[in-house]
mmCIF file of all heavy atoms in Angstrom:
data_model
loop_
_atom_site.group_PDB
_atom_site.id
_atom_site.type_symbol
_atom_site.label_atom_id
_atom_site.label_comp_id
_atom_site.label_asym_id
_atom_site.label_seq_id
_atom_site.Cartn_x
_atom_site.Cartn_y
_atom_site.Cartn_z
ATOM 1 N N TYR C 1 -201.880 54.321 -62.920
ATOM 2 C CA TYR C 1 -202.123 54.586 -64.324
ATOM 3 C C TYR C 1 -201.029 55.373 -64.988
ATOM 4 O O TYR C 1 -201.233 55.667 -66.216
ATOM 5 C CB TYR C 1 -203.486 55.325 -64.438
ATOM 6 C CG TYR C 1 -204.651 54.509 -63.899
ATOM 7 C CD1 TYR C 1 -205.423 55.141 -62.827
ATOM 8 C CD2 TYR C 1 -204.919 53.260 -64.265
ATOM 9 C CE1 TYR C 1 -206.447 54.435 -62.314
ATOM 10 C CE2 TYR C 1 -206.026 52.520 -63.677
ATOM 11 C CZ TYR C 1 -206.772 53.100 -62.732
ATOM 12 O OH TYR C 1 -207.848 52.396 -62.140
ATOM 13 N N THR C 2 -199.981 55.661 -64.308
ATOM 14 C CA THR C 2 -198.843 56.439 -64.858
ATOM 15 C C THR C 2 -199.318 57.703 -65.660
ATOM 16 O O THR C 2 -198.887 57.955 -66.789
ATOM 17 C CB THR C 2 -197.926 55.569 -65.843
ATOM 18 O OG1 THR C 2 -198.780 55.077 -66.901
ATOM 19 C CG2 THR C 2 -197.364 54.455 -65.067
ATOM 20 N N ILE C 3 -200.222 58.437 -64.967
ATOM 21 C CA ILE C 3 -200.626 59.703 -65.534
ATOM 22 C C ILE C 3 -200.052 60.852 -64.782
ATOM 23 O O ILE C 3 -199.894 60.751 -63.569
ATOM 24 C CB ILE C 3 -202.180 59.794 -65.586
ATOM 25 C CG1 ILE C 3 -202.762 59.692 -64.185
ATOM 26 C CG2 ILE C 3 -202.779 58.832 -66.589
ATOM 27 C CD1 ILE C 3 -204.295 59.946 -64.177
ATOM 28 N N ASP C 4 -199.813 61.953 -65.364
ATOM 29 C CA ASP C 4 -199.194 63.114 -64.786
ATOM 30 C C ASP C 4 -200.263 63.654 -63.752
ATOM 31 O O ASP C 4 -201.376 63.899 -64.084
ATOM 32 C CB ASP C 4 -198.792 64.193 -65.805
ATOM 33 C CG ASP C 4 -198.023 65.321 -65.232
ATOM 34 O OD1 ASP C 4 -198.126 65.583 -64.073
ATOM 35 O OD2 ASP C 4 -197.216 65.880 -66.029
ATOM 36 N N ARG C 5 -199.802 63.873 -62.524
ATOM 37 C CA ARG C 5 -200.707 64.404 -61.512
ATOM 38 C C ARG C 5 -201.155 65.811 -61.763
ATOM 39 O O ARG C 5 -202.156 66.336 -61.173
ATOM 40 C CB ARG C 5 -200.031 64.241 -60.061
ATOM 41 C CG ARG C 5 -198.849 65.221 -59.903
ATOM 42 C CD ARG C 5 -198.399 65.197 -58.427
ATOM 43 N NE ARG C 5 -197.960 63.796 -58.133
ATOM 44 C CZ ARG C 5 -197.859 63.341 -56.867
ATOM 45 N NH1 ARG C 5 -198.142 64.154 -55.853
ATOM 46 N NH2 ARG C 5 -197.473 62.086 -56.664
ATOM 47 N N ASP C 6 -200.524 66.521 -62.587
ATOM 48 C CA ASP C 6 -200.906 67.906 -63.011
ATOM 49 C C ASP C 6 -201.924 67.874 -64.115
ATOM 50 O O ASP C 6 -202.403 68.998 -64.458
ATOM 51 C CB ASP C 6 -199.645 68.710 -63.367
ATOM 52 C CG ASP C 6 -198.720 68.864 -62.178
ATOM 53 O OD1 ASP C 6 -199.157 68.975 -61.089
ATOM 54 O OD2 ASP C 6 -197.477 68.832 -62.460
ATOM 55 N N MET C 7 -202.254 66.790 -64.672
ATOM 56 C CA MET C 7 -203.252 66.721 -65.742
ATOM 57 C C MET C 7 -204.615 66.903 -65.153
ATOM 58 O O MET C 7 -205.067 66.268 -64.224
ATOM 59 C CB MET C 7 -203.154 65.330 -66.434
ATOM 60 C CG MET C 7 -203.894 65.264 -67.694
ATOM 61 S SD MET C 7 -203.834 63.538 -68.465
ATOM 62 C CE MET C 7 -202.090 63.430 -68.848
ATOM 63 N N THR C 8 -205.397 67.916 -65.692
ATOM 64 C CA THR C 8 -206.647 68.247 -65.119
ATOM 65 C C THR C 8 -207.826 68.082 -66.071
ATOM 66 O O THR C 8 -208.963 67.898 -65.698
ATOM 67 C CB THR C 8 -206.682 69.740 -64.769
ATOM 68 O OG1 THR C 8 -206.367 70.561 -65.882
ATOM 69 C CG2 THR C 8 -205.699 70.056 -63.577
ATOM 70 N N ASP C 9 -207.565 67.962 -67.382
ATOM 71 C CA ASP C 9 -208.605 67.838 -68.379
ATOM 72 C C ASP C 9 -209.062 66.357 -68.385
ATOM 73 O O ASP C 9 -208.237 65.444 -68.581
ATOM 74 C CB ASP C 9 -208.216 68.240 -69.816
ATOM 75 C CG ASP C 9 -209.315 68.171 -70.793
ATOM 76 O OD1 ASP C 9 -209.676 67.031 -71.245
ATOM 77 O OD2 ASP C 9 -209.872 69.224 -71.154
ATOM 78 N N MET C 10 -210.365 66.103 -67.987
ATOM 79 C CA MET C 10 -210.795 64.726 -67.807
ATOM 80 C C MET C 10 -210.750 63.955 -69.088
ATOM 81 O O MET C 10 -210.514 62.711 -69.147
ATOM 82 C CB MET C 10 -212.262 64.787 -67.285
ATOM 83 C CG MET C 10 -212.667 63.440 -66.618
ATOM 84 S SD MET C 10 -211.546 62.796 -65.332
ATOM 85 C CE MET C 10 -211.585 64.069 -64.102
ATOM 86 N N TRP C 11 -210.956 64.574 -70.247
ATOM 87 C CA TRP C 11 -210.844 63.918 -71.571
ATOM 88 C C TRP C 11 -209.472 63.357 -71.772
ATOM 89 O O TRP C 11 -209.327 62.184 -72.042
ATOM 90 C CB TRP C 11 -211.210 64.869 -72.722
ATOM 91 C CG TRP C 11 -211.134 64.277 -74.026
ATOM 92 C CD1 TRP C 11 -210.027 64.112 -74.794
ATOM 93 C CD2 TRP C 11 -212.215 63.746 -74.819
ATOM 94 N NE1 TRP C 11 -210.349 63.485 -75.977
ATOM 95 C CE2 TRP C 11 -211.676 63.271 -76.042
ATOM 96 C CE3 TRP C 11 -213.628 63.581 -74.562
ATOM 97 C CZ2 TRP C 11 -212.486 62.673 -77.009
ATOM 98 C CZ3 TRP C 11 -214.384 62.960 -75.572
ATOM 99 C CH2 TRP C 11 -213.832 62.572 -76.773
ATOM 100 N N ASP C 12 -208.474 64.233 -71.461
ATOM 101 C CA ASP C 12 -207.075 63.763 -71.610
ATOM 102 C C ASP C 12 -206.713 62.649 -70.678
ATOM 103 O O ASP C 12 -205.989 61.712 -71.013
ATOM 104 C CB ASP C 12 -206.138 65.006 -71.353
ATOM 105 C CG ASP C 12 -206.250 66.056 -72.407
ATOM 106 O OD1 ASP C 12 -206.763 65.734 -73.487
ATOM 107 O OD2 ASP C 12 -205.870 67.197 -72.194
ATOM 108 N N ILE C 13 -207.282 62.674 -69.410
ATOM 109 C CA ILE C 13 -207.016 61.675 -68.452
ATOM 110 C C ILE C 13 -207.636 60.333 -68.879
ATOM 111 O O ILE C 13 -206.899 59.281 -68.806
ATOM 112 C CB ILE C 13 -207.576 62.078 -67.076
ATOM 113 C CG1 ILE C 13 -206.865 63.291 -66.494
ATOM 114 C CG2 ILE C 13 -207.515 60.878 -66.067
ATOM 115 C CD1 ILE C 13 -207.434 63.838 -65.209
ATOM 116 N N PHE C 14 -208.848 60.352 -69.402
ATOM 117 C CA PHE C 14 -209.486 59.137 -69.867
ATOM 118 C C PHE C 14 -208.593 58.588 -71.057
ATOM 119 O O PHE C 14 -208.459 57.303 -71.082
ATOM 120 C CB PHE C 14 -210.893 59.354 -70.335
ATOM 121 C CG PHE C 14 -211.910 59.178 -69.279
ATOM 122 C CD1 PHE C 14 -212.065 60.009 -68.244
ATOM 123 C CD2 PHE C 14 -212.771 58.073 -69.311
ATOM 124 C CE1 PHE C 14 -212.935 59.815 -67.192
ATOM 125 C CE2 PHE C 14 -213.736 57.862 -68.325
ATOM 126 C CZ PHE C 14 -213.873 58.755 -67.267
ATOM 127 N N VAL C 15 -208.121 59.416 -71.968
ATOM 128 C CA VAL C 15 -207.370 58.957 -73.161
ATOM 129 C C VAL C 15 -206.129 58.346 -72.670
ATOM 130 O O VAL C 15 -205.687 57.278 -73.118
ATOM 131 C CB VAL C 15 -207.178 60.168 -74.050
ATOM 132 C CG1 VAL C 15 -206.092 59.704 -75.106
ATOM 133 C CG2 VAL C 15 -208.420 60.602 -74.759
ATOM 134 N N ALA C 16 -205.431 58.976 -71.739
ATOM 135 C CA ALA C 16 -204.186 58.506 -71.214
ATOM 136 C C ALA C 16 -204.307 57.157 -70.520
ATOM 137 O O ALA C 16 -203.530 56.222 -70.791
ATOM 138 C CB ALA C 16 -203.549 59.491 -70.189
ATOM 139 N N ILE C 17 -205.344 56.960 -69.678
ATOM 140 C CA ILE C 17 -205.597 55.717 -68.995
ATOM 141 C C ILE C 17 -205.913 54.680 -70.090
ATOM 142 O O ILE C 17 -205.503 53.488 -70.031
ATOM 143 C CB ILE C 17 -206.698 55.818 -68.011
ATOM 144 C CG1 ILE C 17 -206.261 56.700 -66.813
ATOM 145 C CG2 ILE C 17 -207.087 54.435 -67.431
ATOM 146 C CD1 ILE C 17 -207.379 56.989 -65.770
ATOM 147 N N GLY C 18 -206.757 55.024 -71.034
ATOM 148 C CA GLY C 18 -207.219 54.108 -72.056
ATOM 149 C C GLY C 18 -206.035 53.566 -72.934
ATOM 150 O O GLY C 18 -205.948 52.337 -73.247
ATOM 151 N N LYS C 19 -205.141 54.391 -73.243
ATOM 152 C CA LYS C 19 -203.954 54.040 -74.040
ATOM 153 C C LYS C 19 -203.029 53.141 -73.182
ATOM 154 O O LYS C 19 -202.448 52.124 -73.690
ATOM 155 C CB LYS C 19 -203.196 55.247 -74.562
ATOM 156 C CG LYS C 19 -203.890 55.989 -75.677
ATOM 157 C CD LYS C 19 -203.093 57.157 -76.110
ATOM 158 C CE LYS C 19 -203.752 57.833 -77.329
ATOM 159 N NZ LYS C 19 -203.057 59.025 -77.780
ATOM 160 N N GLN C 20 -202.907 53.451 -71.908
ATOM 161 C CA GLN C 20 -202.044 52.686 -71.116
ATOM 162 C C GLN C 20 -202.612 51.308 -70.776
ATOM 163 O O GLN C 20 -201.849 50.372 -70.639
ATOM 164 C CB GLN C 20 -201.838 53.416 -69.719
ATOM 165 C CG GLN C 20 -200.746 52.846 -68.859
ATOM 166 C CD GLN C 20 -201.251 52.189 -67.617
ATOM 167 O OE1 GLN C 20 -202.459 52.070 -67.369
ATOM 168 N NE2 GLN C 20 -200.388 51.727 -66.784
ATOM 169 N N ARG C 21 -203.900 51.172 -70.836
ATOM 170 C CA ARG C 21 -204.600 49.875 -70.530
ATOM 171 C C ARG C 21 -205.124 49.174 -71.747
ATOM 172 O O ARG C 21 -205.780 48.194 -71.697
ATOM 173 C CB ARG C 21 -205.770 50.112 -69.576
ATOM 174 C CG ARG C 21 -205.331 50.512 -68.146
ATOM 175 C CD ARG C 21 -204.349 49.401 -67.579
ATOM 176 N NE ARG C 21 -204.075 49.542 -66.189
ATOM 177 C CZ ARG C 21 -204.787 49.025 -65.231
ATOM 178 N NH1 ARG C 21 -205.878 48.281 -65.470
ATOM 179 N NH2 ARG C 21 -204.414 49.160 -63.970
ATOM 180 N N GLY C 22 -204.851 49.762 -72.925
ATOM 181 C CA GLY C 22 -205.219 49.060 -74.180
ATOM 182 C C GLY C 22 -206.712 49.142 -74.499
ATOM 183 O O GLY C 22 -207.294 48.243 -75.090
ATOM 184 N N CYS C 23 -207.374 50.196 -74.059
ATOM 185 C CA CYS C 23 -208.830 50.272 -74.367
ATOM 186 C C CYS C 23 -209.050 51.010 -75.661
ATOM 187 O O CYS C 23 -209.650 52.079 -75.727
ATOM 188 C CB CYS C 23 -209.456 51.055 -73.270
ATOM 189 S SG CYS C 23 -209.261 50.396 -71.552
ATOM 190 N N LEU C 24 -208.532 50.469 -76.699
ATOM 191 C CA LEU C 24 -208.516 51.086 -78.050
ATOM 192 C C LEU C 24 -209.526 50.392 -78.997
ATOM 193 O O LEU C 24 -209.749 49.210 -78.991
ATOM 194 C CB LEU C 24 -207.149 51.046 -78.663
ATOM 195 C CG LEU C 24 -206.064 51.824 -77.828
ATOM 196 C CD1 LEU C 24 -204.685 51.621 -78.618
ATOM 197 C CD2 LEU C 24 -206.390 53.274 -77.660
ATOM 198 N N GLU C 25 -210.277 51.256 -79.787
ATOM 199 C CA GLU C 25 -211.101 50.737 -80.820
ATOM 200 C C GLU C 25 -210.415 50.778 -82.160
ATOM 201 O O GLU C 25 -209.227 51.325 -82.236
ATOM 202 C CB GLU C 25 -212.389 51.507 -80.789
ATOM 203 C CG GLU C 25 -213.156 51.512 -79.497
ATOM 204 C CD GLU C 25 -214.338 52.417 -79.531
ATOM 205 O OE1 GLU C 25 -214.288 53.492 -80.227
ATOM 206 O OE2 GLU C 25 -215.375 52.076 -78.920
ATOM 207 N N SER C 26 -211.076 50.330 -83.183
ATOM 208 C CA SER C 26 -210.481 50.439 -84.545
ATOM 209 C C SER C 26 -210.351 51.944 -84.850
ATOM 210 O O SER C 26 -211.202 52.719 -84.604
ATOM 211 C CB SER C 26 -211.431 49.753 -85.521
ATOM 212 O OG SER C 26 -212.601 50.370 -85.473
ATOM 213 N N GLY C 27 -209.163 52.218 -85.434
ATOM 214 C CA GLY C 27 -208.949 53.677 -85.717
ATOM 215 C C GLY C 27 -208.050 54.325 -84.588
ATOM 216 O O GLY C 27 -207.683 55.521 -84.705
ATOM 217 N N GLY C 28 -207.873 53.606 -83.546
ATOM 218 C CA GLY C 28 -207.018 54.073 -82.457
ATOM 219 C C GLY C 28 -207.705 54.986 -81.458
ATOM 220 O O GLY C 28 -207.070 55.415 -80.466
ATOM 221 N N ASN C 29 -209.029 55.079 -81.458
ATOM 222 C CA ASN C 29 -209.801 55.866 -80.512
ATOM 223 C C ASN C 29 -209.906 55.086 -79.229
ATOM 224 O O ASN C 29 -210.088 53.876 -79.212
ATOM 225 C CB ASN C 29 -211.221 56.179 -81.080
ATOM 226 C CG ASN C 29 -211.135 57.172 -82.230
ATOM 227 O OD1 ASN C 29 -210.243 58.055 -82.265
ATOM 228 N ND2 ASN C 29 -212.027 56.990 -83.207
ATOM 229 N N VAL C 30 -209.930 55.796 -78.111
ATOM 230 C CA VAL C 30 -210.059 55.149 -76.782
ATOM 231 C C VAL C 30 -211.531 54.927 -76.467
ATOM 232 O O VAL C 30 -212.372 55.858 -76.714
ATOM 233 C CB VAL C 30 -209.430 56.097 -75.715
ATOM 234 C CG1 VAL C 30 -209.757 55.569 -74.316
ATOM 235 C CG2 VAL C 30 -207.912 56.092 -75.859
ATOM 236 N N ASN C 31 -211.838 53.818 -75.948
ATOM 237 C CA ASN C 31 -213.234 53.505 -75.579
ATOM 238 C C ASN C 31 -213.393 53.933 -74.126
ATOM 239 O O ASN C 31 -212.832 53.245 -73.155
ATOM 240 C CB ASN C 31 -213.510 51.960 -75.726
ATOM 241 C CG ASN C 31 -214.902 51.618 -75.397
ATOM 242 O OD1 ASN C 31 -215.460 52.080 -74.484
ATOM 243 N ND2 ASN C 31 -215.469 50.734 -76.193
ATOM 244 N N PHE C 32 -214.106 54.929 -73.870
ATOM 245 C CA PHE C 32 -214.227 55.547 -72.566
ATOM 246 C C PHE C 32 -215.062 54.599 -71.656
ATOM 247 O O PHE C 32 -214.808 54.710 -70.365
ATOM 248 C CB PHE C 32 -214.896 56.927 -72.607
ATOM 249 C CG PHE C 32 -213.976 58.095 -72.931
ATOM 250 C CD1 PHE C 32 -212.808 57.754 -73.595
ATOM 251 C CD2 PHE C 32 -214.273 59.310 -72.628
ATOM 252 C CE1 PHE C 32 -211.959 58.818 -74.021
ATOM 253 C CE2 PHE C 32 -213.396 60.398 -72.981
ATOM 254 C CZ PHE C 32 -212.187 60.176 -73.692
ATOM 255 N N ASP C 33 -215.985 53.849 -72.139
ATOM 256 C CA ASP C 33 -216.730 52.940 -71.299
ATOM 257 C C ASP C 33 -215.786 51.864 -70.673
ATOM 258 O O ASP C 33 -215.937 51.455 -69.552
ATOM 259 C CB ASP C 33 -217.811 52.222 -72.066
ATOM 260 C CG ASP C 33 -218.979 53.223 -72.428
ATOM 261 O OD1 ASP C 33 -219.183 54.217 -71.689
ATOM 262 O OD2 ASP C 33 -219.648 52.975 -73.404
ATOM 263 N N LYS C 34 -214.829 51.364 -71.496
ATOM 264 C CA LYS C 34 -213.907 50.339 -71.038
ATOM 265 C C LYS C 34 -212.982 50.932 -70.000
ATOM 266 O O LYS C 34 -212.695 50.325 -69.055
ATOM 267 C CB LYS C 34 -213.061 49.814 -72.195
ATOM 268 C CG LYS C 34 -213.887 48.859 -73.122
ATOM 269 C CD LYS C 34 -212.953 48.301 -74.158
ATOM 270 C CE LYS C 34 -213.785 47.300 -75.109
ATOM 271 N NZ LYS C 34 -212.848 46.675 -76.119
ATOM 272 N N VAL C 35 -212.583 52.276 -70.174
ATOM 273 C CA VAL C 35 -211.774 52.939 -69.172
ATOM 274 C C VAL C 35 -212.503 53.015 -67.858
ATOM 275 O O VAL C 35 -211.982 52.748 -66.726
ATOM 276 C CB VAL C 35 -211.380 54.323 -69.726
ATOM 277 C CG1 VAL C 35 -210.679 55.128 -68.567
ATOM 278 C CG2 VAL C 35 -210.482 54.253 -70.840
ATOM 279 N N SER C 36 -213.824 53.370 -67.975
ATOM 280 C CA SER C 36 -214.622 53.547 -66.713
ATOM 281 C C SER C 36 -214.744 52.127 -66.027
ATOM 282 O O SER C 36 -214.631 52.134 -64.792
ATOM 283 C CB SER C 36 -216.052 53.986 -67.158
ATOM 284 O OG SER C 36 -215.984 55.306 -67.699
ATOM 285 N N ASP C 37 -214.956 51.121 -66.798
ATOM 286 C CA ASP C 37 -215.038 49.783 -66.239
ATOM 287 C C ASP C 37 -213.782 49.392 -65.436
ATOM 288 O O ASP C 37 -213.842 48.820 -64.341
ATOM 289 C CB ASP C 37 -215.319 48.664 -67.197
ATOM 290 C CG ASP C 37 -216.734 48.771 -67.770
ATOM 291 O OD1 ASP C 37 -217.695 49.279 -67.023
ATOM 292 O OD2 ASP C 37 -217.033 48.275 -68.871
ATOM 293 N N ILE C 38 -212.625 49.687 -65.996
ATOM 294 C CA ILE C 38 -211.348 49.397 -65.340
ATOM 295 C C ILE C 38 -211.080 50.151 -64.057
ATOM 296 O O ILE C 38 -210.823 49.596 -63.078
ATOM 297 C CB ILE C 38 -210.208 49.657 -66.365
ATOM 298 C CG1 ILE C 38 -210.182 48.524 -67.431
ATOM 299 C CG2 ILE C 38 -208.842 49.716 -65.616
ATOM 300 C CD1 ILE C 38 -209.156 48.871 -68.537
ATOM 301 N N VAL C 39 -211.368 51.490 -64.101
ATOM 302 C CA VAL C 39 -211.151 52.359 -62.972
ATOM 303 C C VAL C 39 -212.071 51.970 -61.834
ATOM 304 O O VAL C 39 -211.679 51.766 -60.673
ATOM 305 C CB VAL C 39 -211.351 53.837 -63.318
ATOM 306 C CG1 VAL C 39 -211.224 54.682 -62.047
ATOM 307 C CG2 VAL C 39 -210.279 54.207 -64.301
ATOM 308 N N ILE C 40 -213.372 51.719 -62.127
ATOM 309 C CA ILE C 40 -214.340 51.404 -61.030
ATOM 310 C C ILE C 40 -214.018 50.071 -60.456
ATOM 311 O O ILE C 40 -214.175 49.839 -59.184
ATOM 312 C CB ILE C 40 -215.818 51.444 -61.540
ATOM 313 C CG1 ILE C 40 -216.752 51.860 -60.433
ATOM 314 C CG2 ILE C 40 -216.234 50.204 -62.206
ATOM 315 C CD1 ILE C 40 -216.611 53.272 -59.973
ATOM 316 N N ARG C 41 -213.613 49.105 -61.292
ATOM 317 C CA ARG C 41 -213.243 47.829 -60.786
ATOM 318 C C ARG C 41 -212.003 47.850 -59.904
ATOM 319 O O ARG C 41 -211.915 47.201 -58.817
ATOM 320 C CB ARG C 41 -213.051 46.820 -61.923
ATOM 321 C CG ARG C 41 -212.850 45.369 -61.504
ATOM 322 C CD ARG C 41 -212.953 44.361 -62.686
ATOM 323 N NE ARG C 41 -211.978 44.668 -63.687
ATOM 324 C CZ ARG C 41 -212.302 45.093 -64.918
ATOM 325 N NH1 ARG C 41 -213.517 45.349 -65.245
ATOM 326 N NH2 ARG C 41 -211.255 45.234 -65.807
ATOM 327 N N ASP C 42 -210.982 48.668 -60.363
ATOM 328 C CA ASP C 42 -209.792 48.895 -59.515
ATOM 329 C C ASP C 42 -210.117 49.487 -58.240
ATOM 330 O O ASP C 42 -209.551 49.118 -57.110
ATOM 331 C CB ASP C 42 -208.808 49.742 -60.281
ATOM 332 C CG ASP C 42 -208.108 48.998 -61.419
ATOM 333 O OD1 ASP C 42 -208.245 47.794 -61.484
ATOM 334 O OD2 ASP C 42 -207.429 49.735 -62.175
ATOM 335 N N LEU C 43 -211.009 50.427 -58.170
ATOM 336 C CA LEU C 43 -211.463 51.041 -56.860
ATOM 337 C C LEU C 43 -212.165 50.075 -55.980
ATOM 338 O O LEU C 43 -211.800 49.888 -54.785
ATOM 339 C CB LEU C 43 -212.363 52.210 -57.111
ATOM 340 C CG LEU C 43 -213.042 52.798 -55.872
ATOM 341 C CD1 LEU C 43 -212.060 53.510 -55.030
ATOM 342 C CD2 LEU C 43 -214.207 53.772 -56.258
ATOM 343 N N ARG C 44 -213.110 49.235 -56.483
ATOM 344 C CA ARG C 44 -213.897 48.408 -55.670
ATOM 345 C C ARG C 44 -213.138 47.215 -55.158
ATOM 346 O O ARG C 44 -213.514 46.596 -54.102
ATOM 347 C CB ARG C 44 -215.183 47.973 -56.403
ATOM 348 C CG ARG C 44 -216.139 49.093 -56.692
ATOM 349 C CD ARG C 44 -217.290 48.627 -57.569
ATOM 350 N NE ARG C 44 -218.154 49.805 -57.902
ATOM 351 C CZ ARG C 44 -219.180 49.683 -58.730
ATOM 352 N NH1 ARG C 44 -219.443 48.606 -59.450
ATOM 353 N NH2 ARG C 44 -219.978 50.770 -58.985
ATOM 354 N N THR C 45 -212.077 46.771 -55.858
ATOM 355 C CA THR C 45 -211.372 45.623 -55.454
ATOM 356 C C THR C 45 -210.118 45.940 -54.640
ATOM 357 O O THR C 45 -209.423 45.035 -54.219
ATOM 358 C CB THR C 45 -210.956 44.791 -56.646
ATOM 359 O OG1 THR C 45 -210.133 45.629 -57.598
ATOM 360 C CG2 THR C 45 -212.129 44.270 -57.418
#
């Protein structure tokens, strides 16, 4: 996910992954549910 390993705030981590994976809604906000779906699918597969 090209996120800094020193990043600890979970909100910032979700936002970083969401922007990297294009999980954006209108207005540029990150959709955390879509981020969750991506991470859990990546883990399970």
